[in-house]
Amino acid sequence: MKKTGLMLFMLICMFAFPGLGHAAGSTNIYLDGKALNLPKNGEVQNVNGNIMIPIRVVVEELGFNVNWEKVTRTVTIKQADTTLKLVVGEKTATVNGNKMNLLVAPILKSDTTLVPLRFIGEQFGLTVHWDNAAKTAYLVTPGDNNSGGDVDPGNGGTTEPTPPTTPPVTDENLASIGGISFSDNKLMIATDKNVTPNIFKISGPERIVIDIPKTKFADTFSNILDSDKNGYLDVEGYPAVSKIRYSLYSNSPSTIRFVIDLNQAQNYKLTNDNDGLVIIDLNSDSTSSGRKLVVIDAGHGGSDPGAISVTKKKEKDFNLAVTLKVEQLLKKETQFDYVLTRSGDTYPSLKDRVKIAEDMNADIFISIHANAGSATASGVETYYTRKESLALANVMHKYLVASSGLTDRKVRTKSLHVTRETTMPAVLLECGYLSNPKDDAILFTESFQNNVAEGIVKGIKEYLGIQ
């Protein structure tokens, strides 16, 4: 079982719980569905926001050897060829002599040593879950199928579904998480293979947790993950949501975890049709609002930079900057809804972008780009493929010319994937030439991007007949 201090530190950081240094009321620990007998001083403790449980109770139940050295206040645990040492009061542990840092040091309660819940889960290969309402820790050993009961993840519950027994998964067989986006109060996760998410809610603070086993981050995430393979999306304009976090939660099996940090309790609807798109809808009313829906697509992203400007700037950054400015304006509109195909530096495939629009039954699709060509080429163009998109193209191009102030290079037809494969009116906007020094000098200015964003919104409203 390969374990690293880095992963341990990440996992402990990810699961914080409220409270400071107090017993979590009448507490329980279940291992594979069996209630463990807790010693008199072995109640689960909440220390600086971390759930602490008695380590001897769990590891002895698992059949490991445990030794307590009173003088040095050291706990030694041996499992096959692994030796783990913990020292009360110290935030450094060792595994086979290799040091690792802990967020919270082990504590001694009378004669019982307490350690972070997530530490036990990671070091001994257990799936762990803390039910704050029931003050109960659930631990499941790999491959166990008999403990715990099924639970409706949308309504909370005291037990967590037990993961099925699965053979080892090689890296090449893992599904890749290729992109994430949050808009219209929905978290959308793009994958390249069928996946089976495990989703549940946690209180104190309120969170929705989505674990997707047998997955890995696609290469497009390499420049937005930190060294511990953590990343996040800041969320603005949605009162119930403060942030979206994601990380490599486990190596066995490789599992990507998404956490929706909430400002209040929130229901959700999970949609997973095994078609490469997982949607967690936080709208309390899952029925259609009856409003028109617009999809805004920031071209390229992640490992695909798009065109490179004469000053070495990347098209993907321009596309996203304008898209986010469009989003800020769309948040003020109440007569229609919108969805972004990406809201960060990730790369949904062209197929993913089309699929988002199709699955959401969008009314129009607008892809935002910047162009490249000869050093003398300058101006804006609007592309469409299907004749049903011509009216949208004419309206959007009129506002693109006016808002950019650049040369009008006309509406053009071209067979582009996102405008060809979509079934709703769809256009691709080329907002200027990165290969032209004069265009490049203004494309990355706030004033130009704000003007273009305003023009795009005006074009959307005119096409939809909204004043």
Side-chain angles (χ1 to χ4, degrees):
M1 183 185 303
K2 293 183 178 179
K3 304 295 175 185
T4 66
L6 203 59
M7 180 58 66
L8 168 65
F9 181 78
M10 181 273 288
L11 287 170
I12 294 175
C13 286
M14 273 202 64
F15 265 78
F17 299 85
L20 287 174
H22 59 273
S26 178
T27 60
N28 303 282
I29 300 175
Y30 284 84
L31 177 63
D32 292 339
K34 175 185 177 182
L36 303 184
N37 293 321
L38 302 183
K40 182 178 180 181
N41 296 307
E43 286 284 333
V44 177
Q45 300 283 314
N46 192 323
V47 179
N48 295 328
N50 291 268
I51 297 301
M52 311 285 283
I53 68 175
I55 191 168
R56 179 181 291 274
V57 171
V58 176
V59 297
E60 287 187 343
E61 185 69 27
L62 292 170
F64 303 158
N65 293 320
V66 185
N67 182 56
W68 165 250
E69 299 174 13
K70 187 174 182 179
V71 176
T72 60
R73 303 192 352 145
T74 300
V75 177
T76 302
I77 303 166
K78 292 186 178 182
Q79 174 200 14
D81 57 353
T82 299
T83 300
L84 170 66
K85 290 191 176 184
L86 298 158
V87 180
V88 172
E90 293 187 9
K91 292 185 178 181
T92 301
T94 62
V95 176
N96 291 337
N98 297 315
K99 292 184 178 181
M100 60 176 63
N101 295 321
L102 307 178
L103 187 61
V104 179
I107 61 175
L108 188 65
K109 184 74 172 179
S110 296
D111 58 351
T112 301
T113 304
L114 305 177
V115 299
L117 171 63
R118 287 287 154 185
F119 175 87
I120 290 181
E122 175 63 10
Q123 290 305 312
F124 301 109
L126 305 177
T127 299
V128 299
H129 172 57
W130 170 251
D131 187 323
N132 195 56
K135 306 302 180 187
T136 299
Y138 297 92
L139 300 89
V140 181
T141 55
D144 181 81
N145 284 305
N146 301 314
S147 65
D150 290 337
V151 61
D152 178 0
N155 297 316
T158 58
T159 59
E160 182 180 349
T162 302
T165 302
T166 56
V169 180
T170 59
D171 187 69
E172 59 267 21
N173 291 328
L174 297 175
S176 291
I177 303 294
I180 61 172
S181 179
F182 187 86
S183 60
D184 193 32
N185 217 25
K186 300 179 180 75
L187 173 63
M188 293 173 287
I189 306 168
T191 69
D192 65 352
K193 294 181 181 179
N194 294 349
V195 295
T196 304
N198 175 33
I199 184 167
F200 54 92
K201 296 194 292 186
I202 299 177
S203 299
E206 298 291 338
R207 283 154 290 167
I208 296 173
V209 180
I210 307 99
D211 287 340
I212 310 183
K214 302 180 186 178
T215 56
K216 63 181 178 179
F217 286 114
D219 293 340
T220 53
F221 279 83
S222 60
N223 61 340
I224 59 173
L225 295 172
D226 63 21
S227 59
D228 296 339
K229 293 193 175 180
N230 296 316
Y232 66 90
L233 281 176
D234 280 323
V235 176
E236 297 180 355
Y238 296 93
V241 181
S242 62
K243 182 183 290 186
I244 309 292
R245 293 179 285 132
Y246 46 89
S247 70
L248 178 61
Y249 165 62
S250 173
N251 281 320
S252 182
S254 181
T255 301
I256 304 300
R257 165 165 286 183
F258 296 87
V259 179
I260 305 175
D261 289 323
L262 300 170
N263 297 317
Q264 62 193 45
Q266 183 73 40
N267 290 325
Y268 63 85
K269 177 184 178 183
L270 171 66
T271 300
N272 177 36
D273 295 327
N274 283 325
D275 52 7
L277 189 64
V278 176
I279 301 174
I280 296 89
D281 186 350
L282 303 185
N283 296 295
S284 57
D285 182 0
S286 61
T287 60
S288 171
S289 65
R291 296 189 294 267
K292 299 291 186 181
L293 176 65
V294 179
V295 171
I296 306 295
D297 172 47
H300 306 285
S303 61
D304 176 14
I308 304 299
S309 79
V310 293
T311 53
K312 307 304 179 184
K313 297 184 181 71
K314 299 174 182 177
E315 181 195 351
K316 67 174 184 177
D317 296 330
F318 169 82
N319 301 341
L320 182 60
V322 174
T323 295
L324 295 179
K325 287 177 169 60
V326 170
E327 181 189 26
Q328 291 304 310
L329 295 172
L330 293 181
K331 287 179 179 178
K332 303 174 184 178
E333 301 294 333
T334 60
Q335 293 179 276
F336 62 94
D337 297 323
Y338 72 92
V339 168
L340 307 184
T341 61
R342 70 179 180 100
S343 52
D345 189 21
T346 58
Y347 180 72
S349 68
L350 297 178
K351 182 179 178 181
D352 291 335
R353 298 166 199 255
V354 170
K355 180 168 176 48
I356 288 172
E358 295 295 321
D359 285 356
M360 304 298 290
N361 196 26
D363 292 281
I364 58 176
F365 178 97
I366 298 171
S367 189
I368 298 173
H369 288 254
N371 217 334
S374 70
T376 58
S378 172
V380 295
E381 301 155 5
T382 298
Y383 287 95
Y384 74 100
T385 303
R386 295 169 288 104
K387 63 180 181 180
E388 295 85 0
S389 301
L390 178 57
L392 174 63
N394 286 332
V395 171
M396 296 306 300
H397 188 70
K398 177 181 69 175
Y399 284 99
L400 180 59
V401 172
S403 62
S404 68
L406 296 176
T407 302
D408 180 0
R409 293 176 62 91
K410 308 302 180 183
V411 172
R412 305 184 180 196
T413 181
K414 192 173 184 179
S415 182
L416 302 169
H417 187 93
V418 294
T419 56
R420 182 185 69 243
E421 300 301 321
T422 43
T423 57
M424 71 291 300
V427 298
L428 186 146
L429 308 178
E430 294 283 9
C431 301
Y433 274 78
L434 295 167
S435 53
N436 181 291
K438 291 183 179 179
D439 284 12
D440 180 49
I442 63 171
L443 279 167
F444 286 88
T445 64
E446 288 287 319
S447 59
F448 179 85
Q449 293 177 1
N450 285 331
N451 288 340
V452 169
E454 290 175 6
I456 290 172
V457 174
K458 288 179 180 178
I460 292 171
K461 293 177 68 175
E462 179 174 315
Y463 181 80
L464 295 178
I466 296 172
Q467 299 298 321

